[in-house]
Amino acid sequence: MRVSAAWLTELLHRDGFRWKRTRDTLRHKADPVLQQAARAQLEDLRLGAITGMRDLYFLDESGFAPTMPTGYTWSRAGHRAVVPREDKKGRRVNVLGALVAGRHADLVWERSCGKIDAAMLLEFVCTKLAGLPGGAAALEQPPAGFTRVRPCTVVLDNASAHVARAFKGRREDLAAIGVELFYLPPRSPELNDIERVWCSAKYEDYPERVHTTAEAVGTAVDRALNRQRARVQGSAANFIKAA
């Protein structure tokens, strides 16, 4: 018995299948034991953030190019929608961001047209997350009387800037001002909550897919992340009301 492509498509639709773009993943190379342990630790950290006992930040970087990845769209039969492509050289915008979890949910970020290195990462953590007066320059000798209201944990992956000596080597100095670094197991992006923010910002809040200047890309990025921030803060406010 031969089955036509059209009939096979109809059968798949009836059975709940849909034609979707595939995605690649490294999950099959992750260590399930390490992931299970990390999940348990993250649940404890989230509970501490919800109860107001600690601050919890999910940190990561993401890049926004002049021409963002194209997806599916509606077009008339027989016509294909075409998006002009721009050269990304010198126009890519990199964003370093942190999703604040728990009762004080928020989103903070900093963008750059250059590479995000360990020095920038350390300054971001000291200034934006720890609230250390003087930033990274004051890390070895914090201002007298400086203490965080709550201890905080920064969740991050094993990207090169994250494990560089200029950043990870300051782990003890960060701990002294109440900042703990929590490194996720290798190849475990799904454990970092900010990944959902990047995905939503790119595919939902970045409707104009092509920009001709780095300034235009940066403006679009800020607009998209401000929308994400409003949603994050709104969800936290609703959670507090419900509690």
Side-chain angles (χ1 to χ4, degrees):
M1 177 181 177
R2 298 184 62 182
V3 179
S4 68
W7 179 236
L8 180 60
T9 299
E10 178 65 23
L11 290 176
L12 289 170
H13 272 282
R14 289 182 184 181
D15 207 29
F17 287 86
R18 294 295 181 267
W19 181 259
K20 293 184 177 182
R21 188 189 300 273
T22 58
R23 295 194 305 174
D24 55 4
T25 180
L26 290 173
R27 291 184 182 182
H28 60 291
K29 293 188 176 182
D31 187 324
V33 176
L34 293 179
Q35 283 194 327
Q36 184 176 1
R39 284 192 176 93
Q41 290 176 278
L42 287 173
E43 285 306 309
D44 289 340
L45 292 171
R46 286 192 181 93
L47 180 60
I50 291 172
T51 57
M53 299 298 293
R54 70 167 51 247
D55 291 331
L56 178 60
Y57 302 94
F58 289 87
L59 181 146
D60 195 20
E61 301 87 25
S62 187
F64 292 76
T67 301
M68 295 296 290
T70 55
Y72 293 99
T73 188
W74 293 103
S75 60
R76 291 189 178 278
H79 296 273
R80 181 183 295 275
V82 177
V83 177
R85 185 173 183 83
E86 290 290 333
D87 184 4
K88 68 180 181 180
K89 185 176 181 180
R91 302 187 208 163
R92 178 184 174 90
V93 171
N94 295 312
V95 181
L96 173 58
L99 176 65
V100 188
R103 302 179 69 88
H104 308 280
D106 202 351
L107 178 66
V108 294
W109 69 91
E110 182 176 324
R111 57 182 172 85
S112 171
C113 290
K115 181 180 179 181
I116 295 176
D117 57 15
M120 182 178 175
L121 176 62
L122 183 64
E123 187 65 38
F124 180 84
V125 170
C126 290
T127 305
K128 301 264 188 176
L129 308 188
L132 177 64
L139 191 55
E140 291 185 6
Q141 294 182 330
F146 172 78
T147 55
R148 297 197 84 259
V149 176
R150 293 175 297 275
C152 78
T153 301
V154 180
V155 179
L156 65 171
D157 61 22
N158 296 274
S160 58
H162 302 175
V163 298
R165 182 178 299 178
F167 179 73
K168 193 172 183 179
R170 308 301 295 275
R171 202 169 185 173
E172 292 185 2
D173 293 330
L174 290 169
I177 63 170
V179 179
E180 173 195 19
L181 302 181
F182 181 90
Y183 284 91
L184 294 170
R187 304 183 181 91
S188 303
E190 69 275 13
L191 298 182
N192 195 334
D193 289 1
I194 199 173
E195 291 287 354
R196 293 192 293 271
V197 172
W198 298 141
C199 182
S200 180
K202 290 181 179 182
Y203 288 95
E204 297 177 22
D205 295 321
Y206 199 93
E208 188 177 347
R209 312 306 292 175
V210 180
H211 297 279
T212 57
T213 66
E215 292 76 11
V217 177
T219 299
V221 167
D222 284 339
R223 187 182 300 119
L225 293 181
N226 273 314
R227 289 172 179 164
Q228 289 293 318
R229 186 186 188 200
R231 293 194 189 102
V232 169
Q233 292 176 334
S235 297
N238 292 334
F239 175 80
I240 292 174
K241 288 180 181 178

